[in-house]
Amino acid sequence: MDLFAMNSDRSNISKIIPYIQTGEVIPHEEMLEALNEATATLADERRREVASSISPEVGRYLASTDLMPFIKADISDVEARQLIAERRVHLNRLSNLLPSVLKLLAIRNEAQIHSALIQLDDCSRDYHPIKSSEYSSTQRKKIVNDLNAVASLSGELELTLKRLGYHISTDFEQHDEACRRVIKGSHTEVRLFDLLRLLGELRFSSELILYKDSIGERAFYVGDNRARTHIVEYAYRMAVQFDAPKFTTTPGSDFSTLCSLMYELATGEADESLAGAINKFGRSGERRQIDEEEIVHRHENSDEGMAAHEADNFAAVKEAIQSYETEVGCWRSMFASRKWEDFEQSQIGIRLMDAVERRDDQMNKHGPFLVWASQMASGDKRTLWDRLEENELLNLEFAAKVGRRARGERN
C-alpha cells in the first residue's frame, strides 16, 4: 500500500459527524479510528502495521508518537499496556464530551474537526506532565546554575589541558587513532588542539545563552506546573482559531464552560471552575502574543496573503535577508554591551561575520529559482514521495531489528 495514498472516500472523521450533530455519545471504535486518523503522521499506517505484527492491540491503540519507540523496544510491553489503558480512558471521555466541545467552538466542517481533535489530544496528553513539574522559578534556577557550571568547568578543563597538553597529547592522539581503526566509519579524527577549540566554543555557547536570557530573550525553555493555565491557553487558541466562543472572564460563560469541559477531558473531574486561571490568562503576555500571532497567521493564510507570497519569487529571500539583518544587529549589540575577554570577542566577531556573509549571499541570489509544490511536474513530485517512502521503510526495518534484539535480550 502506498505510504502517501489518500484516505478512502469516506474518512473516519466523517463517520463521527452524525453523532456530533445530534450530541450523542460517539461509539468507542469510531472515536478511536477518528482520533488515529486526525493525529496520524505520513508514515503512520506502515508503523501501525509493524507494531500490530508485534501486538495487535498496540498497533490499534498506541498514539502515533509512541509507535516508533515501541517498535524499537524503547517502550517496554508493560509501559505500552499502561499507555493503552490511559488512551482508553481518554477515548471514553472524548466519546462523551467531544460533541459538546465542538458545539461551543462552532465547528463547521471536517477539516475543523480534524484540527480540534489534534489540539484536544495534545492538551490532555500534556496536562499531567505539566502538573507534576516543578515551579518555573525552580526550573529556571537549575538551568542557569547548570549553564554557569558548564561555562566554568569547560573553562577550567581548557586551562588544565593547556598546562598538561605536552604530557597527554601523544597518548590521547594515539588512542584516538586506535579507536578510528576499530570503529570504522563512525569515528572522526580529533587532536588535542581540536578538543581545546571545542571546549572554548562550548564555554562561549553557555555564556551566549546566559547573555540572551539576561536581556530578556527566550534563550531556553522553562516549563511550569500551571496546568490549569495550560488548559485555558489551549481553549483560547482554539476559540481564536474558530471565532467561538467569545473570550470572557465571566463565570458560567461559554468560554468558561469550554475550559471546564477540556479540564474534564484531561482529568476526568467534571464541573470544575477555572475562573482563577481564566482571569490570570486574560491579563497575561501569552494572550497578547497569541493575538499578535493570529493577525499574522490570518493574513499569511488568506487568499490575498498566499497569492502575494506565491507571486513574489523572492519572498523567501526577502524574509531571509530581514532575518540576517536582525541577527547582525544582535551580534553588534552584544559586542557593545560589555567588555568581553579576547576569546569571547573573537567568537562574537565570527558570528557577526557569518551573519553578514549569509545576508550578502541572499542579496546576490537571482531568480527565478523558487518552485512551489503546486508548480512541480507530477513525475518530480512522485520521485520525491518515493524517496521519502524508501527512507521510511529503511527506518522501520532498522527499528524493527533493534526492537527484536532488545526484546530477545529482555526475555
Side-chain angles (χ1 to χ4, degrees):
M1 184 178 294
D2 185 356
L3 180 67
F4 299 96
M6 297 298 291
N7 291 323
S8 58
D9 292 339
R10 189 167 182 228
S11 69
N12 291 314
I13 292 176
S14 70
K15 294 175 185 177
I16 67 173
I17 290 178
Y19 302 99
I20 293 169
Q21 291 173 332
T22 61
E24 296 177 76
V25 175
I26 302 167
H28 181 86
E29 287 297 319
E30 295 189 18
M31 189 69 257
L32 170 61
E33 295 299 329
L35 183 60
N36 281 348
E37 180 177 280
T39 56
T41 63
L42 287 174
D44 217 50
E45 187 173 350
R46 280 266 166 76
R47 293 181 182 182
R48 288 200 181 279
E49 288 177 3
V50 175
S52 295
S53 69
I54 303 169
S55 166
E57 188 180 35
V58 168
R60 290 179 62 240
Y61 273 98
L62 217 57
S64 295
T65 51
D66 296 324
L67 288 171
M68 189 63 93
F70 173 76
I71 292 169
K72 292 192 297 181
D74 292 340
I75 293 176
S76 69
D77 293 349
V78 173
E79 291 169 325
R81 285 195 292 272
Q82 177 62 32
L83 290 170
I84 289 171
E86 292 170 0
R87 203 154 195 252
R88 281 181 179 275
V89 171
H90 177 58
L91 282 163
N92 289 337
R93 293 174 188 160
L94 207 54
S95 295
N96 284 278
L97 299 175
L98 184 63
S100 299
V101 171
L102 297 186
K103 183 178 179 181
L104 287 167
L105 291 167
I107 296 293
R108 292 172 288 277
N109 56 51
E110 185 176 330
Q112 291 178 335
I113 296 174
H114 184 281
S115 176
L117 275 173
I118 294 173
Q119 294 178 74
L120 290 170
D121 189 58
D122 286 344
C123 180
S124 295
R125 283 164 62 88
D126 292 342
Y127 175 85
H128 293 286
I130 289 173
K131 185 180 179 182
S132 62
S133 66
E134 297 175 315
Y135 288 110
S136 58
S137 57
T138 304
Q139 293 185 53
R140 168 176 289 280
K141 184 177 180 180
K142 287 183 176 179
I143 292 170
V144 169
N145 286 343
D146 286 344
L147 284 166
N148 278 312
V150 169
S152 175
L153 292 171
S154 58
E156 288 180 23
L157 181 57
E158 185 182 0
L159 289 174
T160 304
L161 285 175
K162 284 179 179 177
R163 291 196 302 268
L164 194 63
Y166 177 77
H167 303 285
I168 198 174
S169 61
T170 301
D171 284 287
F172 171 80
E173 290 167 6
Q174 286 178 350
H175 179 69
D176 181 66
E177 288 175 4
C179 289
R180 281 187 288 115
R181 284 193 293 270
V182 174
I183 310 173
K184 296 180 177 65
S186 60
H187 196 80
T188 56
E189 180 181 0
V190 178
R191 290 291 180 257
L192 193 65
F193 176 81
D194 300 316
L195 186 58
L196 287 168
R197 174 179 55 81
L198 291 172
L199 283 169
E201 292 175 3
L202 176 63
R203 176 166 55 84
F204 174 75
S205 298
S206 302
E207 292 173 350
L208 172 61
I209 295 169
L210 290 167
Y211 167 77
K212 287 181 177 179
D213 182 61
S214 72
I215 62 173
E217 286 190 26
R218 188 173 289 183
F220 50 81
Y221 172 76
V222 178
D224 57 51
N225 59 355
R226 298 180 301 163
R228 289 172 176 247
T229 304
H230 161 76
I231 297 287
V232 175
E233 181 177 337
Y234 258 91
Y236 185 71
R237 286 184 181 277
M238 295 174 74
V240 169
Q241 178 184 350
F242 300 120
D243 289 325
K246 181 181 178 182
F247 176 80
T248 173
T249 57
T250 306
S253 66
D254 283 350
F255 184 79
S256 176
T257 303
L258 173 64
C259 291
S260 295
L261 290 174
M262 291 177 64
Y263 182 82
E264 186 177 352
L265 265 176
T267 67
E269 299 175 21
D271 303 320
E272 187 73 15
S273 172
L274 276 71
I278 293 172
N279 277 304
K280 288 180 181 177
F281 179 78
R283 302 188 300 269
S284 69
E286 285 84 355
R287 183 192 174 190
R288 290 190 295 274
Q289 183 177 345
I290 292 170
D291 290 339
E292 292 169 2
E293 290 172 354
E294 182 62 19
I295 293 171
V296 174
H297 175 78
R298 292 202 175 194
H299 171 71
E300 289 179 346
N301 289 274
S302 66
D303 292 340
E304 296 81 4
M306 293 178 70
H309 197 268
E310 290 193 13
D312 185 356
N313 196 248
F314 286 92
V317 175
K318 291 175 182 176
E319 291 171 3
I321 290 172
Q322 183 57 52
S323 172
Y324 293 137
E325 285 281 10
T326 302
E327 189 178 344
V328 167
C330 290
W331 292 117
R332 285 176 174 160
S333 297
M334 182 179 179
F335 192 87
S337 65
R338 70 178 75 154
K339 183 173 176 57
W340 299 92
E341 297 293 334
D342 290 345
F343 178 78
E344 281 73 18
Q345 286 188 28
S346 69
Q347 298 302 295
I348 297 171
I350 287 171
R351 296 299 295 271
L352 174 60
M353 289 173 60
D354 178 58
V356 168
E357 289 176 359
R358 288 191 293 168
R359 179 201 62 189
D360 293 347
D361 179 64
Q362 290 293 320
M363 294 177 73
N364 291 328
K365 284 187 179 294
H366 54 85
F369 63 90
L370 192 63
V371 179
W372 299 96
S374 59
Q375 299 168 335
M376 290 177 65
S378 58
D380 293 338
K381 195 181 296 185
R382 184 67 259 172
T383 300
L384 175 62
W385 294 149
D386 288 344
R387 193 178 306 143
L388 289 171
E389 185 176 26
E390 182 182 350
N391 287 338
E392 171 60 20
L393 290 174
L394 289 172
N395 287 338
L396 268 177
E397 182 181 354
F398 178 74
K401 285 181 179 178
V402 171
R404 284 194 295 271
R405 182 164 53 189
R407 288 185 178 88
E409 290 173 356
R410 287 174 189 166
N411 293 333

